[in-house]
Amino acid sequence: MTSLIQITQTDGEQLIAEFFQESQGNWRSERRYYTLPEGKTQEMVSFITIKFLERGSEELGQLAQLHGLGDEVSLTCGAKITWDSKDSVTDRKQSQGSTLFGVLGKIVYRDRGFATSKPVTAQYYFTNAKTLCLKTEYNDSVFEEELKLIGNNYRTRQSIISRAGEQLMIGQYLEKRIQSSDNIHETTS
């Protein structure tokens, strides 16, 4: 017997599917992290690739298994995000990797978190059709993130990391879509 949740997509699931589809492509992300309360800053440039994942994709099946959701549960959509980051001041490589996002109801399932390689979940909501908000909690920390699509070629992001009610870090990002004729690893300011 097929569960109703597998065949009925919620309004939130429709919005997040559209958000992931509109975000698909290559992006250059200029990032600034503020460590609180002292205000120490770190500036980075990341090159990001976002791939939309449809229900039934192999990646979403693996993600569902990782979270122990069972074979009868199908994530409605998702995204695979890969990145390559470097410090924009020293030009030193900082990190590279990938992560999977999958959606079911009002929950985003991830194969890893911001500060852990373990699977995590986040609650999500939209303030409008172009602004996705995520709240993830693990290891006594809270990660709040807002992602906003601005036209077809820009995104802004803001992340706030807190522990025990105290904000520890704020991350701000400006992301520009890289057109196919652009060099993905061009690092002009």
Side-chain angles (χ1 to χ4, degrees), residues 65-122:
Q65 286 180 354
L66 189 62
H67 280 274
L69 296 177
D71 293 337
E72 69 282 351
V73 175
S74 177
L75 298 171
T76 59
C77 70
K80 179 177 182 178
I81 299 167
T82 57
W83 71 88
D84 189 1
S85 301
K86 67 180 181 177
D87 187 298
S88 58
V89 175
T90 65
D91 211 32
R92 283 189 19 218
K93 187 175 212 79
Q94 292 294 313
S95 70
Q96 68 181 71
S98 67
T99 188
L100 295 174
F101 291 78
V103 177
L104 184 61
K106 289 287 188 184
I107 297 176
V108 172
Y109 294 86
R110 295 182 61 179
D111 64 339
R112 59 177 296 139
F114 181 78
T116 181
S117 59
K118 295 180 181 179
V120 298
T121 60

Side-chain angles (χ1 to χ4, degrees), residues 40-62:
K40 179 183 169 195
T41 62
Q42 180 182 17
E43 295 185 25
M44 296 176 60
V45 172
S46 298
F47 295 93
I48 301 168
T49 300
I50 301 172
K51 176 186 169 193
F52 177 71
L53 301 175
E54 294 184 15
R55 182 193 301 265
S57 71
E58 182 179 336
E59 293 99 328
L60 289 181
Q62 292 169 353

Side-chain angles (χ1 to χ4, degrees), residues 107-182:
I107 297 176
V108 172
Y109 294 86
R110 295 182 61 179
D111 64 339
R112 59 177 296 139
F114 181 78
T116 181
S117 59
K118 295 180 181 179
V120 298
T121 60
Q123 299 289 322
Y124 76 91
Y125 64 93
F126 283 83
T127 58
N128 61 59
K130 302 293 183 186
T131 306
L132 169 63
C133 298
L134 298 166
K135 184 176 184 180
T136 310
E137 299 182 53
Y138 57 87
N139 296 340
D140 298 322
S141 296
V142 177
F143 303 82
E144 296 174 278
E145 195 167 10
E146 178 187 88
L147 298 92
K148 181 179 235 171
L149 290 166
I150 301 170
N152 294 320
N153 294 316
Y154 297 94
R155 293 180 2 148
T156 59
R157 292 171 51 196
Q158 179 164 286
S159 301
I160 300 171
I161 302 170
S162 305
R163 183 174 294 132
E166 184 177 338
Q167 292 74 32
L168 303 176
M169 182 180 286
I170 297 173
Q172 295 180 317
Y173 318 74
L174 174 61
E175 298 176 342
K176 180 182 179 190
R177 188 180 297 276
I178 298 172
Q179 304 303 325
S180 58
S181 62
D182 294 343

